[in-house]
Amino acid sequence: MSDEPSAGGSRRWFVVAVALILIAGLAFAVGRFSTFGSQATASSPGTSSPEAGFSRDMQVHHAQAIEMAMEIYRKTDDDELRVLSYDIATGQAGQRGEMFDWLVRWGLPQSGGPMMQWMDASAAGHAHGGSSAGPMTDDEAHAAMGMASDDEIAALEAATGMAADCQFLTLMIRHHEGAIPMAEALLELGTDPRALEVATAIKNGQTAEIDAMKSIQTRLGCTG
């Protein structure tokens, strides 16, 4: 039999998977507008609050994780990595959609202020936000958050086989390691119960995923 039907079926499944992730990411924002509207309450976090800064920055961070996870999901032949990448993409799409919804319900814009500056208030002295020399540029903030550069994303897209698997693992481990201090900062600075719950889930979930990815690296014999 020809391989064409199988290849076509794989492409169709990938399109369905992407659609499901987009739906998960928008479910909170779309499904709850009519219930909550866009008016902030007196007790809602303000635009310069840790919750608002975390919501904005983590949406950017999650968007790249989803992009990288779906790239390797599409082309990896490793079953364990395929499952893990799908879990990362769907889990972070859902969290990203919820954080979008928080800002809507609080009556706040989806962007505002230098990235990571909200972390300056941390009593633990997190070094990721702005400093006395001034706030970070977006590129500097992306690097501090462990995000991949444009060149690294392009290299991942061009890579195939085990080289792609190993490159993805290196990039995503670093990406997760950048998210954990952000979650820890919100746990220290924030007060909104649901935001703190999500930050805890991000810290614990991504720590576990780092362990899983390091295990896959060892199994595949990835170096560097």
Side-chain angles (χ1 to χ4, degrees), residues 36-46 102-108:
F36 293 105
S38 60
Q39 298 301 312
T41 66
S43 61
S44 295
W102 292 346
L103 293 169
V104 172
R105 290 193 288 118
W106 298 338
L108 304 178

Side-chain angles (χ1 to χ4, degrees), residues 2-84:
S2 171
D3 291 337
E4 286 300 314
S6 176
S10 177
R11 287 192 294 270
R12 284 192 296 273
W13 167 241
F14 178 70
V15 170
V16 170
V18 171
L20 290 173
I21 288 171
L22 292 174
I23 290 168
L26 293 172
F28 289 99
V30 173
R32 297 167 66 185
F33 282 168
S34 60
T35 302
F36 293 105
S38 60
Q39 298 301 312
T41 66
S43 61
S44 295
T47 194
S48 61
S49 66
E51 287 87 349
F54 175 83
S55 301
R56 292 164 179 149
D57 291 355
M58 196 59 80
Q59 284 189 67
V60 174
H61 200 260
H62 275 17
Q64 189 182 76
I66 295 165
E67 177 186 4
M68 292 194 297
M70 289 308 296
E71 176 65 23
I72 203 66
Y73 171 82
R74 180 182 64 82
K75 63 188 178 184
T76 186
D77 292 324
D78 188 273
D79 290 341
E80 183 181 6
L81 183 55
R82 185 176 176 83
V83 170
L84 178 60

